[in-house]
Amino acid sequence: MKKTVFIVTAAVVALFCVLICGCKQSDAEIVGNYKLYTVSGSNGVKEFTYYSDGRDPLINENSFTLEIKSNYKWKMNIMLPGISDTEDGIWKDDNGSYSLIEDKEDPAIALILDGGTLKFNINEDGYLMAVTLIKA
């Protein structure tokens, strides 16, 4: 009986250690929610620039959002004319150089954080886009 209690206790302690140590959290300045400021790009035929300031009634700050979570995960929602997509993955912090990784086959997306402004380039649904988001 004592041996069974010891084994169960050891298993619970081991599981607790894995959960606590395995749930790495970040307090990096990049963590937060971001909303559209501008996005410009091209699909090889047509060029475009979208602003969140109301110039186009179909585009607003929620037309392109990015949530960078403290658990090193991210989620992106894109709702622009011709592009409607949701992406997610993990993010890396390499001594203050940040990048988004969707999966191992895709190249990492390098992020440039300047205060509350986040800039990056992506290729989505055949569109090459330069994105500027503002921290919400």
Side-chain angles (χ1 to χ4, degrees), residues 1-94:
M1 179 72 165
K2 287 183 180 181
K3 189 174 185 179
T4 304
V5 170
F6 175 75
I7 291 172
V8 170
T9 303
V12 169
V13 169
L15 179 61
F16 182 73
C17 289
V18 167
L19 291 174
I20 295 299
C21 298
C23 297
K24 192 174 176 184
Q25 298 288 312
S26 174
D27 62 354
E29 64 180 329
I30 199 153
V31 172
N33 294 307
Y34 296 84
K35 296 185 176 218
L36 177 66
Y37 182 68
T38 64
V39 61
S40 60
S42 172
N43 65 358
V45 176
K46 179 183 171 190
E47 293 186 4
F48 62 87
T49 300
Y50 298 122
Y51 301 90
S52 64
D53 64 3
R55 295 178 200 193
D56 183 334
L58 300 176
I59 307 298
N60 62 51
E61 64 183 7
N62 293 313
S63 296
F64 197 124
T65 61
L66 174 62
E67 178 184 11
I68 299 178
K69 302 174 186 179
S70 62
N71 65 356
Y72 291 91
K73 294 183 180 182
W74 60 270
K75 184 173 184 176
M76 182 184 300
N77 290 305
I78 307 169
M79 296 170 289
L80 297 169
I83 308 167
S84 180
D85 206 355
T86 299
E87 305 285 348
D88 60 14
I90 61 171
W91 63 275
K92 273 177 80 173
D93 179 355
D94 188 17

Side-chain angles (χ1 to χ4, degrees), residues 62-136:
N62 293 313
S63 296
F64 197 124
T65 61
L66 174 62
E67 178 184 11
I68 299 178
K69 302 174 186 179
S70 62
N71 65 356
Y72 291 91
K73 294 183 180 182
W74 60 270
K75 184 173 184 176
M76 182 184 300
N77 290 305
I78 307 169
M79 296 170 289
L80 297 169
I83 308 167
S84 180
D85 206 355
T86 299
E87 305 285 348
D88 60 14
I90 61 171
W91 63 275
K92 273 177 80 173
D93 179 355
D94 188 17
N95 295 320
S97 293
Y98 305 107
S99 59
L100 303 178
I101 302 164
E102 186 175 353
D103 56 46
K104 293 181 181 182
E105 290 83 40
D106 292 334
I109 300 168
L111 304 175
I112 300 169
L113 181 64
D114 183 13
T117 303
L118 185 65
K119 295 182 180 185
F120 55 94
N121 296 317
I122 61 171
N123 189 343
E124 192 64 41
D125 293 341
Y127 289 85
L128 182 58
M129 298 184 286
V131 180
T132 303
L133 304 177
I134 300 292
K135 199 167 195 174

